Amino acid sequence: MYLNCHSFHSLRYGTIPLTDLVQQAVACQVKVLALTDINTVTGIYDFIQACQQVEIKPLIGMEFRDKQQLRYIGLAKNAQGLAAMNRFLTAHNFNGEPLPFVAPELEGVYIIYPLENVPIDLKSNEYIGIRPEQLSLLVDKKWQVLQHKMVVLQPVTFRTKKEFNLHKILRAIDTNVLLSKLTESDYCATTDFMIDQETLLSQYTPFPDILANTEHIINSCHFEFEFKKPKNKKFYTNNRQSDMALLTRLAHQGLITRYGANHPQAKARVEKELKVIDELQFSGYFLITWDIIRYSNSCGFLHIGRGSGANSIVSYCLGITDICPIELDLYFERFLNLNRKTPPDFDIDWSWKERDTILHYIFDRYGAEHVAFCGTNVEFKYRSIFREVGKVFGLPKEELDLLAKNPMAMHDSNSVVKYVQEYGMLLEKYPNQRSMHACGILISEEPLTNYTVLEMPPKGFPIVLFDMHIAEEIGFEKFDILSQRGIGHIDDSVKLIAKNRGIKVDIRNTALSKDEAICNTFLARGQTIGCFYIESPAMRGLLRRLNCDNYKTLVAASSIIRPGVAQSGMMKEYIFRHNYPDRFEYFHEVFKEQLGETYGIMVYQEDVIKIALYYGGLPAADGDILRRAMSGKGRSKSALQKVKDNFFACCAEKGHPQQLSEEIYRQIESFAGYSFCKAHSASYAVESYQSLYLKVHYPIEFMVAVINNQGGFYRTEVYVHEARMSGATIQNPCVNLSEYETTLYGVDVYLGLMHLEGLETKIAQFIVKERIQNGVFHSLEDFINRIPIGIEGIQILIFIGAFRFTGKSKNQLLVIARLILVNFKPENKHPTLMQEPIKEYQLPVLERSPFEDAFDEIELLSFPVSCTPFDLLQTLYRGNIMAKDLIYQHKKTVKMLAYLISRKHVPTKRGAMFFGTWIDAEGTYFDTAHFSDSLEKYPFQGGGCYLLLGTVEVDYHFPTITISKMAKMPFVADPRYDHAQKRPYDVQQNIKEDVSMTHRAPYPQESGLPRHRM
């Protein structure tokens, strides 16, 4: 009899998680339950499954509200009814019109109006919902005559008094008012909770028509849904046979292109894969992916195919991926096998500049009704919770900032803060708003509105109202269409090389950039800044520890850097075994046979499947459950527990020692959510090598491309430094030579106008456009006459030296600008045929300190260009050792002067620590470790130069300094200001640092892997 229940998917309204709602229904002996969340069907599929498990009949519907006002409730008689409601609400989501007070004709839908919104005429499928507290109104003849159209209406929104308070807090957050300012119309009635079904029905006993109508609706609703039936677009052509014929032809053509006409091993694998693809009916999925790649290639776009799909030789032959599965002995069964009914997985990356073109093609090619992004629930998170809840309690911004930034132990202990904490913690993991999945696209056979309402976020592409997990559960295979800046680096580099040097680099030819001797030298030394995936301090340190000088080692490194492998102690052990391959034993023959390439250590996801199959003797389907749980995609804890129990039982049957089996399962569990499949690592390794090849052979063009794609792990300054170290001459922005982005002329790198802090984007772009259309600027006066800019913008350009072509000093230019722009307003400017020249004045020559330009640059760019940060120090001391010599200083104490590049926060059981990355006065990078006891006395104090004292630890070819003391070193006073004031030291604060914070609990103490046979 509960026809109007809200879960927490009624965003910022409902307070009950879905499973809790169903369990409450069981406790109240409810046999039929309707989920009618507000303007959404997000939870219906999880709800159906939860109800079926406890033998409750699920009814599916929606509560239609316009802003705060309840219009009506819709209940689907069948799948057609759900589709009708979805189409109706989708249309309103797209056109933005308010929902009508009267429901339209919706086939297969029962409509229930609240007593406050009953239309004059009721259709045959329309009823009036009457709440228990409204039954007394039936003495009125106005309502008596409508009893034959009434049903039981007992809304459910909360469970307890505390949850009612939580509901009001959610309503205050949603309406953006103080809790005390809420009105009764803003929140639900105090009676909107579930009671025992018998108690509810007893209140309606005097009104048998109402009970009969309610029973009629319940008995007439039969929503049946096939969860595992594939919902994707079935065929690329017209049918399965023609799809397979096309796929087979394309695969054989690609086989010859990739391997030549005579390669029996490749041919046999292609035939094997085609047979599995046909049996699992995934030919359409392959062909649609191929079609997207074909369009991309026709546009001249560079793409990277990765994910488990890169295990497939068919995808390699189709050009979807560039990873040869034979070369790397990739495990096709990780991607597709006859025991695996879950869909395959392609992740395709494009440059962030080109992805939207690909998306528009997909939506146009396959139809707006059939294509949408997966949705995702943005949950209330720790920081946002206290800010949101504190705001409705009326706390000021300063206090909200403290609550959001500090751990609970550091919060004030007053009563209001206690309420904020209490109710805030209740909201943890509750959905707060719906958003678009970063990359997952659904392409359906039937219109998507058969399954869900669609919304149109600001990005301009529709989204479904469920996430990727539900999409997979109900039979959708998503297409992952991603973007990344690393591809932009590569793509723009190739274009720059062609423009600047006249050399055409075929970067798609992966043989060009794989295992090249000079590139391998850079790789082993960790000289990889700017290169996708291998530029972070942690990755560069790993490359040096491994002395990584070949492609296959890089593939392994791409996976062992992942948190799961690192956390378990497997990374540490891999480094040891790689460096000392004769100082360990495989602790079981299976590990030598199956994981010999990685020294018996599980590094990739498929390693788990191999060990489950060949050591544990589990069936392939169970191995895949382990793999999915490990990759973060498994949702069923009970299924995982069943596999775990079966693993130990099978191991015992095979006679394996219990201690060994426990150690192996510990290693499997430690992977959870944080490891790559081998093909994924290989895809990253190929892209990393492509970047490295360009960095090694065309370093200046490559660094300009990195800068223009807004960098990677580090800030722009670091990539400018790399360009300078590669032989570039760095030039400040110039109105005649700079573009909006950074520009390259030979070895002269002109920083783009986009980097000037304070200069409006539209002005920066207009300068370039005007110069292209009407020629270079001949003088400051000419520039002012052609560009609609005020004195503030002119000053920025003068101070950065953008008018240096005039031959006048900055001081002279400032005087001229003020003379021209006195009483000047850009909007009043009218161009004239004959421009009257300004009166020439004899300007005095003013002395300038050589440091003035550097401080101008720090103020406008956040880093100096005309000199290095070391040149600005008050001291001439540069330390007693340079970074290049650290490798020879193991266990020695050193004193160094260094410029801070980045620091990485790491929580440990002893307190927070940081890893630092620095450059010395020669421009060479080195790394430091700062433990909590040192940080307490000698903390970081922002960007700049520091004097460091510490002990060198050389760990497998990689030196790190454990810092005992450090002090930030002062710059010279800013010569542009009077030394008596504080201002000479203000601009130094503009010097930046890259800070990475880690919000997780400390990792457990690493367990060493056995190095002897067990």
Side-chain angles (χ1 to χ4, degrees):
M1 293 297 176
Y2 285 95
L3 305 183
N4 182 210
C5 297
H6 306 106
S7 76
F8 62 6
H9 288 299
S10 290
L11 299 182
R12 297 179 299 279
Y13 190 96
T15 65
I16 313 175
L18 270 173
T19 50
D20 292 7
L21 178 66
V22 174
Q23 288 306 312
Q24 189 181 20
V26 171
C28 291
Q29 299 180 316
V30 175
K31 296 300 179 187
V32 181
L33 193 65
L35 182 67
T36 55
D37 277 318
I38 297 169
N39 294 346
T40 188
V41 291
T42 302
I44 62 172
Y45 298 106
D46 281 345
F47 173 73
I48 290 168
Q49 291 183 311
C51 284
Q52 288 172 344
Q53 288 173 7
V54 292
E55 298 183 349
I56 288 177
K57 179 180 179 179
L59 305 186
I60 299 306
M62 246 187 293
E63 183 174 295
F64 295 91
R65 284 182 179 249
D66 193 77
K67 295 175 181 167
Q68 310 303 323
Q69 294 185 328
L70 171 59
R71 296 284 195 256
Y72 26 82
I73 299 151
L75 291 172
K77 297 180 187 179
N78 46 37
Q80 290 75 24
L82 176 66
M85 286 190 287
N86 288 341
R87 283 194 295 272
F88 165 60
L89 189 55
T90 296
H92 283 274
N93 287 342
F94 282 18
N95 63 33
E97 294 178 3
L99 289 169
F101 284 89
V102 177
E105 290 278 359
L106 296 173
E107 185 180 349
V109 178
Y110 285 114
I111 296 294
I112 301 172
Y113 289 95
L115 215 57
E116 301 79 30
N117 187 36
V118 178
I120 296 171
D121 297 310
L122 289 168
K123 305 180 191 83
S124 61
N125 67 319
E126 294 181 336
Y127 293 85
I128 302 166
I130 186 159
R131 301 161 64 107
E133 61 267 28
Q134 294 171 330
L135 290 171
S136 59
L137 298 175
L138 294 183
V139 298
D140 190 329
K141 287 186 178 179
K142 170 188 172 183
W143 297 116
Q144 281 181 3
V145 297
L146 291 171
Q147 268 193 53
H148 68 288
K149 293 291 285 182
M150 289 184 174
V151 295
V152 175
L153 184 65
Q154 173 58 52
V156 176
T157 302
F158 61 92
R159 287 172 290 183
T160 62
K161 183 178 180 182
K162 190 175 221 176
E163 276 194 8
F164 178 64
N165 293 337
L166 184 65
H167 163 75
K168 290 176 75 174
I169 289 169
L170 285 168
R171 299 305 305 129
I173 291 171
D174 189 53
T175 54
N176 197 27
V177 299
L178 292 174
L179 194 57
S180 58
K181 297 292 184 183
L182 284 177
T183 64
E184 285 192 11
S185 63
D186 291 324
Y187 52 85
C188 73
T190 55
T191 54
D192 281 11
F193 56 87
M194 194 178 290
I195 57 175
D196 183 87
Q197 173 135 323
E198 193 174 326
T199 305
L200 175 65
L201 294 180
S202 66
Q203 299 179 66
Y204 289 87
T205 304
F207 308 101
D209 286 352
I210 296 176
L211 292 172
N213 290 337
T214 309
E215 286 289 347
H216 169 70
I217 288 178
I218 287 170
N219 294 331
S220 302
C221 289
H222 298 286
F223 185 85
E224 296 179 356
F225 190 81
E226 294 182 72
F227 275 86
K228 293 300 180 183
K229 180 182 176 183
K231 309 295 190 303
N232 269 47
K233 181 174 171 59
K234 290 181 182 176
F235 312 116
Y236 175 74
T237 59
N238 296 320
N239 55 58
R240 178 179 171 184
Q241 290 72 28
S242 58
D243 265 11
M244 276 310 299
L246 176 59
L247 183 63
T248 302
R249 179 165 57 84
L250 292 170
H252 286 158
Q253 288 173 355
L255 176 65
I256 293 170
T257 303
R258 294 288 198 182
Y259 295 99
N262 187 25
H263 197 302
Q265 185 184 3
K267 186 177 180 182
R269 178 151 174 169
V270 166
E271 298 302 332
K272 175 189 173 185
E273 287 191 16
L274 286 171
K275 185 172 184 292
V276 174
I277 290 166
D278 186 29
E279 288 187 44
L280 291 175
Q281 300 184 40
F282 285 144
S283 55
Y285 183 86
F286 271 79
L287 287 170
I288 290 170
T289 306
W290 164 79
D291 174 61
I292 295 167
I293 298 304
R294 178 177 63 167
Y295 173 74
S296 170
N297 290 339
S298 74
C299 296
F301 295 167
L302 181 68
H303 78 277
I304 303 287
R306 53 184 178 85
S308 60
N311 286 47
S312 159
I313 198 170
V314 170
S315 65
Y316 181 55
C317 291
L318 263 58
I320 296 170
T321 65
D322 278 318
I323 306 301
C324 172
I326 293 174
E327 177 189 11
L328 287 172
D329 189 27
L330 296 179
Y331 198 48
F332 175 65
E333 286 74 9
R334 159 63 181 86
F335 175 55
L336 282 181
N337 61 69
L338 292 176
N339 296 301
R340 178 185 176 184
K341 303 306 180 187
T342 52
D345 185 19
F346 286 117
D347 297 338
I348 316 291
D349 290 314
W350 279 270
S351 164
W352 61 284
K353 298 176 181 178
E354 296 165 346
R355 178 178 181 244
D356 279 3
T357 304
I358 299 297
L359 291 175
H360 283 296
Y361 171 74
I362 296 169
F363 278 83
D364 292 343
R365 171 75 173 79
Y366 296 100
E369 289 189 344
H370 298 268
V371 187
F373 270 91
C374 275
T376 182
N377 281 321
V378 179
E379 297 173 339
F380 282 100
K381 296 279 174 61
Y382 178 82
R383 288 171 178 266
S384 68
I385 289 174
F386 293 136
R387 194 179 293 283
E388 296 265 29
V389 177
K391 196 191 300 180
V392 304
F393 276 96
L395 296 179
K397 183 183 181 303
E398 298 75 22
E399 203 162 342
L400 295 176
D401 290 342
L402 290 172
L403 290 177
K405 291 176 182 176
N406 293 322
M408 284 177 63
M410 294 176 64
H411 290 180
D412 283 343
S413 57
N414 65 63
S415 58
V416 175
V417 169
K418 284 184 177 177
Y419 277 124
V420 171
Q421 290 175 338
E422 181 181 358
Y423 285 100
M425 295 314 293
L426 288 177
L427 282 180
E428 199 168 23
K429 298 295 183 184
Y430 273 43
N432 181 20
Q433 55 191 0
R434 279 183 291 275
S435 184
M436 176 189 284
H437 188 275
C439 58
I441 287 178
L442 307 181
I443 304 176
S444 67
E445 178 71 18
E446 298 178 16
L448 282 164
T449 47
N450 284 2
Y451 312 105
T452 176
V453 178
L454 301 178
E455 287 183 353
M456 185 68 78
K459 182 74 176 171
F461 296 108
I463 62 170
V464 301
L465 299 194
F466 46 72
D467 63 22
M468 56 179 276
H469 297 295
I470 295 175
E472 186 177 305
E473 195 73 27
I474 67 178
F476 279 107
E477 305 148 24
K478 66 181 171 64
F479 295 79
D480 286 326
I481 308 297
L482 303 102
S483 69
Q484 49 149 288
R485 299 191 184 276
I487 295 177
H489 300 167
I490 295 168
D491 206 25
D492 285 1
S493 294
V494 170
K495 292 171 184 173
L496 262 175
I497 293 161
K499 180 182 176 184
N500 197 47
R501 301 200 195 190
I503 299 172
K504 187 175 181 182
V505 179
D506 181 14
I507 202 65
R508 293 173 188 268
N509 177 7
T510 54
L512 184 75
S513 57
K514 196 188 293 180
D515 278 350
E516 193 198 45
I518 189 169
C519 291
N520 288 338
T521 303
F522 272 62
L523 194 64
R525 292 200 301 247
Q527 291 178 260
T528 54
I529 285 185
C531 300
F532 170 77
Y533 202 70
I534 55 172
E535 68 164 338
S536 71
M539 192 64 185
R540 289 187 298 106
L542 176 60
L543 295 174
R544 292 182 68 178
R545 287 183 175 97
L546 294 174
N547 194 26
C548 177
D549 61 357
N550 63 80
Y551 171 61
K552 288 194 175 182
T553 303
L554 179 59
V555 173
S558 298
S559 192
I560 66 172
I561 194 70
R562 299 284 290 165
V565 191
Q567 173 184 346
S568 64
M570 293 185 196
M571 179 171 80
K572 189 173 182 180
E573 186 63 19
Y574 182 93
I575 295 168
F576 174 84
R577 295 184 182 192
H578 179 79
N579 282 282
Y580 304 111
D582 56 345
R583 287 170 56 180
F584 75 94
E585 296 175 339
Y586 291 94
F587 48 84
H588 193 276
E589 279 304 309
V590 167
F591 283 76
K592 185 175 183 179
E593 293 164 9
Q594 299 298 326
L595 308 182
E597 186 181 286
T598 55
Y599 314 108
I601 294 169
M602 286 183 279
V603 168
Y604 310 111
Q605 289 178 10
E606 47 266 68
D607 293 347
V608 170
I609 300 177
K610 289 178 181 178
I611 295 306
L613 265 59
Y614 296 105
Y615 174 83
L618 290 179
D622 280 6
D624 199 55
I625 289 172
L626 276 180
R627 191 270 312 166
R628 289 173 62 74
M630 171 200 55
S631 63
K633 293 182 179 177
R635 300 178 79 203
S636 172
K637 288 183 179 178
S638 58
L640 182 60
Q641 184 61 46
K642 186 177 176 183
V643 170
K644 180 178 179 179
D645 295 342
N646 196 23
F647 174 83
F648 284 109
C650 289
C651 289
E653 276 182 33
K654 290 172 79 74
H656 294 315
Q658 179 72 13
Q659 184 185 0
L660 175 60
S661 300
E662 286 176 357
E663 167 58 23
I664 289 169
Y665 199 84
R666 181 195 72 78
Q667 294 177 29
I668 290 173
E669 277 190 318
S670 71
F671 265 40
Y674 294 112
S675 60
F676 284 160
C677 68
K678 188 176 183 181
H680 198 80
S681 290
S683 299
Y684 272 0
V686 166
E687 186 179 350
S688 300
Y689 256 105
Q690 288 173 326
S691 296
L692 185 61
Y693 178 87
L694 294 168
K695 177 184 170 74
V696 168
H697 294 285
Y698 309 98
I700 300 175
E701 287 84 357
F702 179 71
M703 280 306 153
V704 170
V706 173
I707 291 165
N708 285 339
N709 282 274
Q710 278 111 71
F713 188 88
Y714 306 96
R715 61 191 182 276
T716 299
E717 176 188 5
V718 179
Y719 303 111
V720 171
H721 170 74
E722 281 287 295
R724 182 184 283 114
M725 295 290 286
S726 302
T729 302
I730 308 301
Q731 304 281 0
N732 279 316
C734 169
V735 295
N736 276 338
L737 290 169
S738 290
E739 305 288 332
Y740 180 69
E741 294 183 332
T742 295
T743 324
L744 181 60
Y745 303 96
V747 297
D748 286 322
V749 174
Y750 279 80
L751 295 176
L753 297 171
M754 65 182 287
H755 298 298
L756 287 173
E757 294 178 16
L759 186 67
E760 289 182 57
T761 299
K762 64 180 181 180
I763 292 292
Q765 292 171 338
F766 187 82
I767 291 169
V768 178
K769 182 181 176 184
E770 168 62 23
R771 189 181 72 219
I772 291 169
Q773 289 178 346
N774 298 308
V776 297
F777 303 102
H778 300 292
S779 64
L780 176 60
E781 179 186 5
D782 179 36
F783 181 86
I784 292 171
N785 284 327
R786 290 164 58 183
I787 303 296
I789 191 168
I791 188 64
E792 293 85 359
I794 285 289
Q795 286 180 167
I796 289 170
L797 292 168
I798 289 173
F799 284 132
I800 205 60
F803 297 103
R804 55 192 180 275
F805 66 89
T806 64
K808 293 183 170 64
S809 71
K810 293 181 181 180
N811 294 332
Q812 291 172 325
L813 289 166
L814 284 169
V815 173
I816 294 170
R818 291 181 184 281
L819 287 172
I820 296 173
L821 290 173
V822 64
N823 300 322
F824 175 84
K825 293 181 180 176
E827 62 270 19
N828 295 335
K829 176 164 54 175
H830 299 286
T832 58
L833 186 63
M834 295 290 291
Q835 199 70 48
E836 184 180 333
I838 65 159
K839 186 176 178 180
E840 289 282 346
Y841 292 92
Q842 186 66 37
L843 299 171
V845 177
L846 300 173
E847 292 296 322
R848 280 179 65 82
S849 160
F851 294 132
E852 285 193 43
D853 287 341
F855 281 98
D856 284 339
E857 291 153 5
I858 293 171
E859 191 163 352
L860 296 171
L861 297 169
S862 80
F863 57 90
V865 173
S866 53
C867 67
T868 75
F870 295 94
D871 297 328
L872 297 175
L873 289 170
Q874 293 179 16
T875 179
L876 296 176
Y877 178 71
R878 295 295 178 261
N880 61 8
I881 197 168
M882 289 294 156
K884 64 187 177 187
D885 302 313
L886 288 174
I887 193 76
Y888 310 111
Q889 305 296 316
H890 183 51
K891 295 297 181 183
K892 292 181 181 177
T893 299
V894 296
K895 188 186 287 186
M896 297 187 70
L897 194 76
Y899 181 63
L900 180 58
I901 298 297
S902 67
R903 55 186 169 106
K904 166 75 174 173
H905 164 258
V906 179
T908 73
K909 289 186 176 179
R910 290 170 50 195
M913 71 166 292
F914 278 90
F915 290 107
T917 298
W918 312 74
I919 56 172
D920 66 11
E922 293 179 345
T924 308
Y925 297 89
F926 68 94
D927 295 85
T928 57
H930 306 250
F931 291 95
S932 54
D933 51 352
S934 166
L935 285 168
E936 197 171 320
K937 294 178 183 176
Y938 306 102
F940 286 93
Q941 298 178 52
C945 293
Y946 288 72
L947 186 63
L948 306 172
L949 182 71
T951 304
V952 179
E953 304 283 344
V954 181
D955 184 35
Y956 304 102
H957 331 291
F958 176 60
T960 304
I961 306 174
T962 301
I963 297 299
S964 53
K965 294 180 180 180
M966 71 174 179
K968 189 172 179 180
M969 303 300 284
F971 280 0
V972 297
D974 188 339
R976 302 171 305 167
Y977 298 108
D978 181 352
H979 289 199
Q981 301 172 356
K982 179 179 175 289
R983 295 185 69 186
Y985 302 95
D986 284 354
V987 170
Q988 300 179 23
Q989 305 308 314
N990 288 26
I991 293 281
K992 289 184 167 57
E993 58 173 331
D994 294 316
V995 184
S996 301
M997 298 301 293
T998 309
H999 301 289
R1000 61 163 170 79
Y1003 283 154
Q1005 193 68 33
E1006 288 181 3
S1007 308
L1009 266 66
R1011 289 181 186 161
H1012 302 285
R1013 187 175 181 86
M1014 291 179 69

